[in-house]
Amino acid sequence: MSEQLSGNGTAGSGTAAEQRHVVVVGAGMAGVQTAVALRERGFAGAVTLIGAEPHQPYDRPPLSKAVLLGKAEGSAFDIDFEALGVTLQLGREVTGVRPADHELDTATGPVPYDVLVVATGAEPTRLPGTDGVPGVHLLRTLDDAERLRPVLAEQHDVVVVGAGWIGAEFATAARDAGCRVTVVEAAERPLAGALPAAVAAPMAAWYADAGAALRTHARVAHVEPGAVVLDDGTRLPAGAVVVGIGARPATAWLADSGIALGEHREIVADEGLRTSAPDVYAVGDCSSFPSRRYGRRLMVHHWDNALQGPRTVAAGIVGETPAVYDPVPYFWSEQFGRFVQYAGHHEAADTTVWRGDPAGAAWSVCWLRDGALVAVLAVGKPRDLAQGRKLIEAGTALDAELLADPARPLKSAAR
Ligand SMILES: Cc1cc2nc3c(=O)[nH]c(=O)nc-3n(C[C@H](O)[C@H](O)[C@H](O)COP(=O)(O)OP(=O)(O)OC[C@H]3O[C@@H](n4cnc5c(N)ncnc54)[C@H](O)[C@@H]3O)c2cc1C
């Protein structure tokens, strides 16, 4: 494979650059894709992928779907690391980095690098006061999903804290498994941090349709074995509690490194995904980047970002120019029998155009800025999403009146 790859004439092959040792920290989607993208671009130097988890690198989205329900055993990436010439070091946590020395620290000794790629992802926010309380779960890792499987199988009363993406997907799986489910949300609607009120409001009905109780404006006072107590005194029986209240970049280990972190503790990368330290890149959930397209810095905690970003990192490492990361962000969610997709990025000031009735099974929402499409949310409308994504990429101006007609293909609104 490396012969074939090194023969493709990309920058980096046949130069001193290929003697460099690239070390990738974090063996999730972004780390794995960085290793793959380096080889695809003909990088012939050593590549080491270090991951804290003991498992073969795996994909996370199935953890709240097929893996949770036992419909899939696992979600390991189908990649032959040996054939790719990538050295895997699993079950090894990196505890620090000294950029001036080009060295990482671990419990079993230092690891030198020529180029470092940080892809340590994010870690779920814990519910204060619940550490060590039996029956309280997070859902981020394969181990978490495996701990939750028997909870579903035993059909416990489940309380989900947080009506975000993970909360909705877990509630869906728990209902499918026949559990009684109550979702507790502090805000007045689901997905309050992600979508505007008018768009998220119809989604509240999905919980009831699926037989899950959604309690908004509800704050957890404390959790005790077997129950969640709300601050209005309500006691919710809970054989298990699943906390889905967000995730933060896993960057605590960089605290003394001098590498610049942002307000969310994320690594502040430039448009080539380089960090403030020389020869150090950051990609995936752990970092943010300046979006030329949207004129602001974005921190994206979705799968597609962990797929696309590594291509820019690899291009930068092998010296391809320009290696600029400026994606149209994309994600999907499968909840309550619906396929929800979103592409782009919108702000409150953008014009909202509805396509179809949100009480129905399939509808979408578009956001226009200066007449051009900047974002689309599609529920059961993959064609709208696919067409919208291309129009966003191209910056095409749309006719808002034509766009509002769901009977017409979205792309036919192009001016
Ligand atoms: C349950 C679940 C369902 C999801 N579903 C969807 C979905 O449907 N659609 C969608 O778009 N996105 C979804 N996502 C989000 C998507 O999976 C993430 O955006 C993606 O996994 C990010 O990849 P990453 O490689 O940046 O980070 P991660 O996947 O978090 O990988 C980072 C890895 O780095 C390791 N690590 C951390 N610190 C260290 C250290 N100091 N030393 C060594 N290793 C370290 C971690 O153990 C981890 O394995 C889901 C996420 C979860 C948790």
Side-chain angles (χ1 to χ4, degrees):
M1 182 161 220
S2 61
E3 258 176 36
Q4 186 202 343
L5 288 168
S6 61
N8 69 3
T10 51
S13 30
T15 68
E18 72 186 20
Q19 303 306 322
R20 289 174 302 167
H21 180 196
V22 177
V23 176
V24 184
V25 181
M29 181 71 182
V32 165
Q33 290 300 327
T34 299
V36 169
L38 279 167
R39 293 300 186 225
E40 279 174 355
R41 279 172 171 72
F43 181 77
V47 178
T48 301
L49 183 56
I50 305 179
E53 294 181 67
H55 309 290
Q56 270 303 111
Y58 63 88
D59 208 10
R60 274 177 220 286
L63 299 185
S64 51
K65 306 169 183 83
V67 171
L68 192 58
L69 285 166
K71 292 180 183 164
E73 255 320 297
S75 55
F77 294 116
D78 185 15
I79 292 173
D80 186 340
F81 291 99
E82 206 180 319
L84 210 56
V86 171
T87 305
L88 273 185
Q89 296 187 0
L90 301 174
R92 188 174 197 193
E93 185 178 352
V94 175
T95 52
V97 55
R98 287 169 282 113
D101 303 332
H102 277 57
E103 227 168 40
L104 295 167
D105 292 316
T106 76
T108 48
V111 179
Y113 65 82
D114 296 311
V115 179
L116 171 65
V117 181
V118 180
T120 46
E123 49 205 10
T125 308
R126 291 165 185 278
L127 192 63
T130 58
D131 280 355
V133 178
V136 178
H137 299 260
L138 299 165
L139 179 49
R140 180 79 197 178
T141 65
L142 182 58
D143 290 341
D144 292 335
E146 279 174 357
R147 276 189 286 267
L148 279 164
R149 267 192 198 171
V151 167
L152 297 195
E154 287 159 25
Q155 304 194 328
H156 282 293
D157 284 337
V158 177
V159 173
V160 180
V161 183
W165 302 112
I166 296 289
E169 293 202 354
F170 181 80
T172 301
R175 284 300 301 143
D176 280 0
C179 300
R180 263 198 302 271
V181 178
T182 304
V183 181
V184 173
E185 168 58 53
E188 79 285 6
R189 61 176 192 273
L191 292 167
L195 294 173
V199 178
M203 297 175 173
W206 300 354
Y207 288 74
D209 291 349
L214 172 64
R215 298 180 76 117
T216 53
H217 298 289
R219 288 188 172 275
V220 175
H222 66 272
V223 179
E224 52 194 45
V228 170
V229 181
L230 302 182
D231 64 1
D232 66 1
T234 308
R235 268 178 86 83
L236 301 170
V241 180
V242 177
V243 178
I245 55 173
R248 299 185 69 189
T251 54
W253 64 284
L254 295 173
D256 301 323
S257 68
I259 293 176
L261 301 182
E263 57 172 321
H264 302 289
R265 220 174 66 181
E266 89 284 7
I267 302 164
V268 177
D270 70 9
E271 60 181 13
L273 301 182
R274 292 176 163 83
T275 71
S276 62
D279 303 316
V280 182
Y281 293 76
V283 66
D285 281 12
C286 66
S287 62
S288 67
F289 58 91
S291 165
R292 275 190 199 174
R293 187 184 297 279
Y294 293 106
R296 55 166 291 165
R297 180 163 284 279
L298 296 180
M299 182 172 78
V300 180
H301 279 187
H302 297 298
W303 186 90
D304 191 63
N305 181 56
L307 170 70
Q308 309 283 352
R311 296 174 185 159
T312 302
V313 171
I317 293 172
V318 302
E320 279 176 28
T321 50
V324 171
Y325 190 52
D326 198 12
V328 171
Y330 165 74
F331 69 86
W332 80 95
S333 171
E334 292 160 47
Q335 46 179 286
F336 307 115
R338 289 162 177 92
F339 190 45
V340 181
Q341 297 168 285
Y342 179 95
H345 171 81
H346 73 271
E347 311 263 346
D350 297 327
T351 306
T352 309
V353 179
W354 288 83
R355 286 173 54 80
D357 178 1
W363 47 276
S364 57
V365 184
C366 296
W367 284 272
L368 300 176
R369 190 178 304 168
D370 302 327
L373 190 65
V374 288
V376 57
L377 172 89
V379 176
K381 285 217 153 206
R383 198 165 292 167
D384 272 14
L385 192 286
Q387 293 179 6
R389 197 173 179 183
K390 284 190 190 137
L391 293 168
I392 297 168
E393 261 157 26
T396 312
L398 301 186
D399 181 319
E401 218 165 285
L402 294 180
L403 186 63
D405 180 356
R408 289 170 182 272
L410 191 152
K411 65 181 177 190
S412 71
R415 283 186 195 273

